[in-house]
Amino acid sequence: MNFAMPRHIAAIAHRVRQFVDEEVIPLESELLRSGAAPSVDMVRELRRKAKAARLWAPTMPKAWGGMGLDIEEIAPVFEAAGRSLLGPLAIHCAAPDEGNMHLLRNWANEEQTERYLVPLAQGETFSAFSMTEPPPGAGSDPRMILTRATRAGDDWVINGHKWLTSNGLLADFFIIMAVTDPDTHPYRGTTQFLAPRDTPGINILRDVPVMGGDDFGGHVEIRYENVRLPQSAILGGEGQGFMLAQSRLGAARLTHCMRWTGIAQRALEIATDYASGREAFGGPLTSHQSVQWMLADSEMELKMGRLLIHEAAWRLAQGEQARVETSIAKVQVAETVSRVLDRCVQICGGRGVSRDLPLSTWYEKSRAFRIYDGASEVHRMVVARDVIKRYGAAERD
């Protein structure tokens, strides 16, 4: 493994950071005061500027206007964009569109690529991945999926209840996970379908209110009621839904880690700057050991997280599934981000809990990071099973 950042990647990351600092961060204060999600017009204007600066769609091919970067190259770029919650939206590397583009690029056929992926990559459309269901359906255990797709002649008819479908307020199309063969294991009997928003039977019930306030695109609850789709709507192949989901989520876990590392890094910079200028108990806060240790622990944990991201990305680039490595990175980075933001709020005191700084908003929104794309407990199960497999008594015997 080579830990040196290639010059061209360092240059792109530097340009993205400049763009975020100059064009994106100045818009934050308006959103902090209102507590509202960014408007579509605001995002489209930022995207126009990002395209003009040639900082568009890091993972998409240059032929479609993207940067053409691979999984190993994007970490510093995504981190730089992630210094603001608006940054990934601006340069088109935000969830869920980024993960959906990755999925479609790997599995869409030619017709699906032209109809769905190319417009999405060029920023003309939005997308949503619809898998999570309210109890008793699929949540942390996706095998509990209840949504069904049944054959009707040459078509499929989908019925089910989903919620927390991110981007659902704006999505031009949905990627729907549904059971197509209930008589076999869900890993072999579940299929993904591509459904345009205007398909009859896609009923948006509400935008589910979430911790931390509104998010761009929302997190909607949906009833799929007799949604009729042709055979050509299947993404990949029949029964391959879980395989496709795993191929999407492995990389998506890492990209979440990259973006949230950018938030945590900026929070550390804000807290350090505040502590350097704030006098208390005979000197600046940075002169007190309790604050120094919070800053040091945050710096060390962020560095460990970056190394875990780097290794997992390298393994994915070698063609490995890297399930254990991505699970380790997801748990470590998600929990590190929570700890770093908690310390930064503590250091900044009254300013930290106010909306004058973005820390309190980030603190609230980051809590969900330990749940989505696999709760920390689920990833610990993955790691534990690997440990037991390698070191348990049965293996030794």
Side-chain angles (χ1 to χ4, degrees), residues 4-16 55 62 67-70 72-74 76-77:
M5 189 187 304
R7 286 186 179 181
H8 73 288
I9 299 301
I12 293 172
H14 176 71
R15 289 171 53 219
V16 170
L55 297 173
K62 293 182 179 180
M67 300 185 201
L69 305 182
D70 64 33
E72 289 189 271
E73 296 172 322
I74 61 174
V77 176

Side-chain angles (χ1 to χ4, degrees), residues 103-104 106-113 115-116 149-158 174-181 188-196 227-244:
L103 176 65
L104 291 167
N106 285 338
W107 296 101
N109 58 35
E110 185 175 349
E111 188 275 332
Q112 292 167 341
T113 296
R115 183 176 181 182
Y116 296 106
T150 57
R151 286 189 181 276
D154 294 332
D155 295 337
W156 292 87
V157 177
I158 299 176
F174 295 82
I175 303 173
I176 306 170
M177 284 275 285
V179 174
T180 47
D181 185 356
R188 297 183 298 276
T190 304
T191 303
Q192 293 186 15
F193 294 86
L194 292 161
V227 176
R228 182 177 286 267
L229 296 170
Q231 180 74 17
S232 61
I234 290 179
L235 180 61
E238 185 180 340
Q240 293 185 333
F242 270 92
M243 182 183 70
L244 270 62

Side-chain angles (χ1 to χ4, degrees), residues 152-286:
D154 294 332
D155 295 337
W156 292 87
V157 177
I158 299 176
N159 284 280
H161 186 191
K162 305 285 190 180
W163 75 336
L164 297 172
T165 296
S166 298
N167 233 23
L169 290 177
L170 301 173
D172 294 280
F173 66 93
F174 295 82
I175 303 173
I176 306 170
M177 284 275 285
V179 174
T180 47
D181 185 356
D183 296 326
T184 189
H185 192 285
Y187 287 165
R188 297 183 298 276
T190 304
T191 303
Q192 293 186 15
F193 294 86
L194 292 161
R197 185 184 189 88
D198 59 2
T199 305
I202 298 179
N203 299 315
I204 309 297
L205 304 182
R206 62 172 179 145
D207 181 17
V208 179
V210 295
M211 185 177 184
D214 296 338
D215 285 324
F216 184 78
H219 307 281
V220 302
E221 183 174 2
I222 310 174
R223 284 276 187 192
Y224 294 112
E225 298 176 300
N226 297 319
V227 176
R228 182 177 286 267
L229 296 170
Q231 180 74 17
S232 61
I234 290 179
L235 180 61
E238 185 180 340
Q240 293 185 333
F242 270 92
M243 182 183 70
L244 270 62
Q246 187 58 45
S247 73
R248 177 189 187 277
L249 292 172
R253 289 178 188 123
L254 286 190
T255 56
H256 273 305
C257 291
M258 297 168 192
R259 290 184 291 259
W260 275 109
T261 295
I263 288 289
Q265 175 62 38
R266 184 169 158 222
L268 179 59
E269 294 167 13
I270 290 170
T272 305
D273 181 69
Y274 176 83
S276 299
R278 178 69 164 118
E279 297 275 341
F281 303 103
L285 293 181
T286 49

